[in-house]
Amino acid sequence: MSARVIVLAAGKGVRMRSGTAKVLHEACGRSLLEWVLGAVADLDAEETIVVVGHHAREVEAVLPVGIESVLQDPQHGTGHAARIGLAGLADGTGPIVIVPGDMPLITGEALVMLLEHHHASSSAATIMSVDLADPLGYGRVVRDAGSVVAIVEERDAAAEERAITEVNTSVYVFDGEQLASALDKITTDNAQTEYYLTDVVGILSSAGAKVTALTVPAEMGNGVNTQTQLAAVSTILRDRINTALLEDGVWMLDPARVYIDASVTVEPSAMLYPDVYLTGTTIVGAGTCLGPNVQVHDSKIGQRAVVQQAVMVDAMVGDDALVGPFAYLRPGTVLARGSKVGTYVEIKGSTVGPGSKVPHLSYIGDATIGERTNIGAGTITVNYDGYRKYATTIGNRVRIGSDTMLIAPVTIGDDAVTGAGSVITDDVPDGALGVSRDPQRNIDGYADKRRKRADEEQG
Ligand code: UD1
Ligand code: MG
């Protein structure tokens, strides 16, 4: 069933009280407009055009290839936007689907149903409506003996019209030619002195054209005009994402406290404890256990890994690796299979080889660590001299003593050892011990002497 689509996305979104275009606000990592375009894609439309205006450049930047835009500037209301959208289509005849850019809960299925209903009923206009217990703020669908005769906006509605609970979702299918002629007749004679697209419904109905409404589940009617509504739709979208993952076999102790972007992949049998945030291009492998309290952005975690109380950005964690509690993996971190990064450890731009461990209190930056190496507690790669960053290379089966300062650039050979507390400025050859610290001396009887002196001073 062929159709053309106009998406309305030029509005200011004044009620959001933010500096961002309304349709670019994000829910589960995807802008409101991208959610809507995702649903529109299911229509397989011949043409889709997005009406942009406020922050036009930024809005155009998120449009997928093949989707055109047309500028509405200034913005004189949804009717004005529809007129500009219609003029921007290569062909404005046949069924025209209009969708607002601020309704991210709309599904492709519902759009297809609406178009089918429009065809089957041979209507000039088909409105998608919802029944809301609290219709405040929405346009009301006015019927006469069952037939739709008008949509009245909240601010223009009489008291008895405000009592109507069937509201307009702002999703419609129109016959293109009838839409064009009705749009020529709308005026700004209303509370907001704007051209209302909703007035088209009354105009068509008075002219004797058939207008029908298809009522869909109330959830889909949630538009986003305020931050409160954005939070509400985000909760619903998050619930949809988590429910799909649970159905796929992912385990969650408390799904209401797991926050996963639409762009993330989580394999079946992964386990997610509360307060896990997975964003961007993150992929989590089967059997991996995350949380509590883990934030992962643009990272890949293999299978059967365990990550607790950690933050990672642009990192890769191999199969069977252990991370945390309390670890920070920064961009360019690669943890090989079976490696461990423990408590109060920060890693940046470094590779930790298979089976190697950085268990406690370390900073590892710009380093390459080989296989089965152990980095003692408190070790720091001193990679920055205030001007440039330098590399540290540590071989296989190395034992770096606790509290070693590795002054980069420096290389520690295979099977080498460093003495605890050493400041290592020069390379340590394979199999050698590198140690740099003052020899210890003990002063016998010190405590007694110290006390005696203190007693004398007191007199
Ligand atoms: C609109 C409907 C209302 C419906 C509600 C559902 C009108 C007059 N009212 O009200 O009946 O119940 O949606 O959510 O249509 N836009 C433009 N150009 C403009 C103005 C708006 O492109 O000049 C776009 C906005 O970016 C937005 C969409 O149109 O995506 C709807 O505009 P909005 O101001 O949110 O209308 P509502 O007050 O929500
Ligand atoms: Mg709205």
Side-chain angles (χ1 to χ4, degrees), residues 7-15 22-23 51-54 72 74-82 99-103 135 137-140 151-155 167-172 190 192 194-199 221-225 229:
V7 179
L8 307 182
K12 287 196 186 68
V14 183
R15 290 164 281 179
K22 176 167 73 175
V23 295
V51 183
V52 298
H54 196 64
Q72 183 201 14
Q75 296 90 36
H76 287 311
T78 49
H80 180 232
V99 189
D102 66 351
M103 301 260 304
Y138 290 96
R140 310 297 203 282
I151 296 173
V152 184
E153 291 305 293
E154 169 87 28
R155 295 213 235 168
V167 310
N168 170 32
T169 61
S170 255
V171 179
Y172 322 80
N190 54 54
Q192 301 185 75
E194 281 185 355
Y195 291 101
Y196 287 170
L197 175 55
T198 45
D199 284 352
N222 284 284
V224 174
N225 298 313
Q229 289 170 327

Side-chain angles (χ1 to χ4, degrees), residues 27-188:
C28 300
R30 195 180 268 175
S31 68
L32 301 181
L33 181 57
E34 288 168 289
W35 280 107
V36 170
L37 290 174
V40 163
D42 285 4
L43 283 171
D44 257 329
E46 272 142 284
E47 214 183 337
T48 299
I49 199 161
V50 179
V51 183
V52 298
H54 196 64
H55 289 281
R57 294 285 158 275
E58 290 94 319
V59 175
E60 278 168 346
V62 306
L63 300 183
V65 278
I67 294 194
E68 299 299 320
S69 63
V70 60
L71 187 67
Q72 183 201 14
D73 187 24
Q75 296 90 36
H76 287 311
T78 49
H80 180 232
R83 194 186 296 151
I84 286 172
L86 196 59
L89 287 173
D91 179 356
T93 62
I96 307 288
V97 179
I98 299 189
V99 189
D102 66 351
M103 301 260 304
L105 299 181
I106 186 80
T107 61
E109 231 180 341
L111 290 175
V112 169
M113 253 170 59
L114 188 74
L115 186 58
E116 282 169 357
H117 182 92
H118 180 79
H119 273 280
S121 60
S122 310
S123 301
T126 307
I127 304 158
M128 186 183 285
S129 69
V130 289
D131 217 12
L132 295 186
D134 176 13
L136 187 76
Y138 290 96
R140 310 297 203 282
V141 177
V142 182
R143 289 175 184 265
D144 184 13
S147 308
V148 176
V149 294
I151 296 173
V152 184
E153 291 305 293
E154 169 87 28
R155 295 213 235 168
D156 303 286
E160 68 273 16
E161 289 167 335
R162 285 188 185 171
I164 297 172
T165 56
E166 184 182 8
V167 310
N168 170 32
T169 61
S170 255
V171 179
Y172 322 80
V173 187
F174 291 104
D175 169 74
E177 278 150 345
Q178 304 209 55
L179 173 64
S181 77
L183 282 172
D184 282 342
K185 299 188 182 98
I186 60 176
T187 69
T188 57

Side-chain angles (χ1 to χ4, degrees), residues 200-364:
V200 162
V201 171
I203 291 167
L204 289 176
S205 167
S206 319
K210 184 170 179 188
V211 181
T212 55
L214 177 71
T215 305
V216 298
E219 186 181 276
M220 268 182 272
N222 284 284
V224 174
N225 298 313
T226 63
Q227 298 285 357
T228 308
Q229 289 170 327
L230 177 62
V233 303
S234 296
T235 302
I236 294 168
L237 287 167
R238 194 159 61 236
D239 185 55
R240 285 187 191 169
I241 290 170
N242 288 355
T243 301
L245 289 172
L246 290 165
E247 296 296 319
D248 265 8
V250 172
W251 178 89
M252 299 181 201
L253 179 64
D254 183 358
R257 288 176 62 186
V258 170
Y259 307 83
I260 303 179
D261 275 3
S263 49
V264 168
T265 304
V266 184
E267 291 179 358
S269 83
M271 300 172 71
L272 308 177
Y273 279 92
D275 302 327
V276 167
Y277 299 78
L278 306 178
T279 56
T281 58
T282 295
I283 299 174
V284 178
T288 280
C289 181
L290 304 183
N293 206 8
V294 166
Q295 294 176 45
V296 183
H297 183 67
D298 284 350
S299 297
K300 185 170 191 304
I301 305 176
Q303 302 189 346
R304 301 172 305 278
V306 177
V307 180
Q308 301 174 67
Q309 313 276 1
V311 176
M312 68 176 86
V313 179
D314 193 12
M316 281 175 66
V317 173
D319 293 348
D320 304 296
L322 304 177
V323 178
F326 308 107
Y328 182 21
L329 306 184
R330 292 169 51 201
T333 297
V334 177
L335 307 187
R337 126 186 80 78
S339 61
K340 175 182 175 168
V341 167
T343 308
Y344 302 119
V345 174
E346 174 179 343
I347 305 209
K348 183 220 79 170
S350 299
T351 298
V352 178
S356 289
K357 295 177 180 173
V358 189
H360 332 272
L361 298 157
S362 283
Y363 170 66
I364 302 295

Side-chain angles (χ1 to χ4, degrees), residues 363-367 378-386 388-392 403-410 422-425:
Y363 170 66
I364 302 295
D366 305 314
T379 293
I380 307 284
T381 54
V382 184
N383 63 331
Y384 185 46
D385 62 4
R388 285 191 193 82
K389 304 274 170 74
Y390 301 94
T392 300
D403 201 27
T404 298
M405 298 295 117
L406 296 159
I407 314 294
V410 69
S422 291
V423 177
I424 302 292
T425 53

Side-chain angles (χ1 to χ4, degrees), residues 399-448:
R399 278 165 46 224
I400 299 291
S402 291
D403 201 27
T404 298
M405 298 295 117
L406 296 159
I407 314 294
V410 69
T411 298
I412 313 296
D414 289 346
D415 303 295
V417 177
T418 68
S422 291
V423 177
I424 302 292
T425 53
D426 297 323
D427 292 355
V428 180
D430 288 358
L433 165 69
V435 60
S436 73
R437 60 183 189 214
D438 287 344
Q440 180 175 333
R441 61 193 180 108
N442 293 339
I443 300 169
D444 288 331
Y446 173 82
D448 284 347

